[in-house]
Amino acid sequence: MELVAGCYEQVLFGFAARPAEPWTVVPDFTHHAHSASLSAVAVNNRYVVTGSRDETIQIYDMKKKIEHGALLQHNGTITCLEFYGTAHLLSGAEDGLICIWNTKRWECLKSIKAHKGHVTSLSIHPSGKLALSVGTDKTLRTWNLVEGRSAFIKNLKQNAHIIKWSPDGERYVTVTTNKVDIYKLDTASITGTITTEKRVSSLRFITDSILAIAGDDEIIRFYSCDSQKCLCEFKAHENRIKDIYSFEKEGQHVIVTASSDGYIKMWTLDLNKIKDVPSLLCEVNTKARLTCLAVWLDRASEMKENSDKAATSSQANEDEKSSIVRKNKVCWTDKSDKTVKRKRKMTPEKQKLEAPLQKKKKKWNSSA
């Protein structure tokens, strides 16, 4: 697995995380990714994409460890990026647009004028049929992704800067400064509100009903969505926490945090003892002002390892066919829509991501 983090200094960091006793984090690459600070990062099973204040989206092929190209469709800072499966990417920006990208050919399938102001955050429903977005026009908008059109508009009292679906898709949350409103999907009404002392800058569903919330006070708090009560809190960093990511690895629930103090930290959480402070697995100091974070998991290698183990254990039954896991494909856009103006641009040469130590001088010179 690879921890990828962006920073104000225009650099994308890659760290190889190795689960063991103890866990280790090894520098893998640093790449001068943009001409301005990085503002968003997203991952799927093959690619890492980054958005920046330089108005571009950069693509990285993690299988080949190369820079794959750049997407130019937005005019304004890229504020949010989110993959759905292996075939689609959604991007939002300060120009008020939401773009739907095909990740096979990296072309813009549809460009939607989503908000009158900036798009501040978007989130795709687990089914892939709906998306939510919030913007600086004080609206929350529901999008029908099958038809590529607006389905519902809700006026908000203030501008929200984060929106997020729960893993089961039964509820979603919006964040306005230091207030988290919890909505139920079936009623689209607020069922509870969580208020913190300082601004919330990052939020993550740990389970369908447990939220991890962090922000300007260096503290991570776990809240119950049902009771809105704080289940646990602990100081994770020495400065504001910019992003939280979480995943499960061999039954172990892992939380990754990035802070303005330059540290990326990995924690293990026991969901059966949610009131206990998570244990620190490992940490790394990037010595940069971090802005965004994601974890790329090499699902293909994991599947291969699992299939190899299965093949070894069942050698006695040679005529048994190996199972093939097929990915579900979701088609979002009307293929008859030929009106989209495509401004896709790929870099002429695919560049290798450089190792952070041995080739550092070469990397910075070539990126200048």
Side-chain angles (χ1 to χ4, degrees), residues 52-303:
S52 167
R53 292 183 179 276
D54 66 8
E55 305 181 356
T56 69
I57 299 169
Q58 298 286 342
I59 312 161
Y60 307 94
D61 186 329
M62 295 300 290
K63 301 285 188 184
K64 299 178 180 178
K65 289 290 176 70
I66 60 172
E67 183 181 1
H68 192 71
L71 304 175
L72 302 178
Q73 185 77 18
H74 291 286
N75 294 311
T77 298
I78 311 300
T79 55
C80 43
L81 296 165
E82 186 166 331
F83 280 104
Y84 182 78
T86 60
H88 296 93
L89 169 73
L90 264 66
S91 62
E94 287 185 350
D95 56 9
L97 296 179
I98 290 178
C99 294
I100 301 174
W101 302 90
N102 175 298
T103 62
K104 304 299 181 185
R105 298 182 301 275
W106 289 108
E107 63 183 1
C108 184
L109 299 174
K110 202 168 188 69
S111 180
I112 305 167
K113 182 60 178 176
H115 291 270
K116 293 178 182 178
H118 304 166
V119 179
T120 53
S121 181
L122 62 83
S123 184
I124 304 168
H125 190 269
S127 68
K129 296 178 180 180
L130 292 174
L132 297 173
S133 68
V134 287
T136 56
D137 56 1
K138 297 182 181 179
T139 63
L140 186 163
R141 296 176 185 248
T142 305
W143 301 96
N144 181 328
L145 292 178
V146 177
E147 300 178 8
R149 62 174 179 82
S150 176
F152 184 73
I153 301 173
K154 179 180 177 62
N155 292 316
L156 303 174
K157 293 180 180 179
Q158 292 177 286
N159 292 327
H161 62 277
I162 299 175
I163 191 158
K164 189 82 70 176
W165 283 105
S166 64
D168 61 4
E170 293 297 315
R171 66 180 106 204
Y172 56 92
V173 296
T174 62
V175 181
T176 305
T177 312
N178 66 330
K179 187 176 71 171
V180 180
D181 288 327
I182 303 165
Y183 291 80
K184 285 201 71 174
L185 173 62
D186 53 1
T187 61
S189 59
I190 297 175
T191 60
T193 299
I194 297 166
T195 304
T196 61
E197 289 186 9
K198 294 190 177 181
R199 186 180 188 273
V200 174
S201 57
S202 53
L203 173 148
R204 187 85 178 181
F205 275 95
I206 303 302
T207 69
D208 294 325
S209 60
I210 298 176
L211 274 171
I213 298 174
D216 289 356
D217 56 0
E218 308 103 37
I219 294 172
I220 294 177
R221 295 179 175 88
F222 300 128
Y223 283 92
S224 165
C225 290
D226 300 317
S227 66
Q228 294 88 56
K229 291 183 178 179
C230 182
L231 305 174
C232 173
E233 66 176 59
F234 64 100
K235 184 175 180 180
H237 289 272
E238 297 301 321
N239 208 324
R240 68 184 63 176
I241 298 166
K242 298 294 289 186
D243 214 346
I244 303 176
Y245 203 90
S246 66
F247 63 93
E248 285 191 35
K249 177 76 172 177
E250 298 174 353
Q252 191 176 25
H253 207 100
V254 179
I255 298 170
V256 189
T257 58
S259 168
S260 296
D261 64 10
Y263 277 88
I264 300 172
K265 297 186 180 184
M266 301 183 74
W267 314 80
T268 179
L269 174 66
D270 188 343
L271 293 176
N272 296 319
K273 300 177 181 178
I274 191 65
K275 294 184 178 181
D276 292 350
V277 173
S279 302
L280 182 65
L281 290 172
C282 56
E283 62 182 30
V284 60
N285 185 4
T286 65
K287 298 181 181 178
R289 296 172 296 161
L290 300 176
T291 57
C292 50
L293 169 76
V295 180
W296 179 75
L297 300 170
D298 192 353
R299 300 292 188 188
S301 295
E302 290 181 9
M303 289 168 63

Side-chain angles (χ1 to χ4, degrees), residues 31-44:
H31 184 65
H32 197 171
H34 292 271
S35 60
S37 60
L38 277 72
S39 51
V41 62
V43 297
N44 72 356

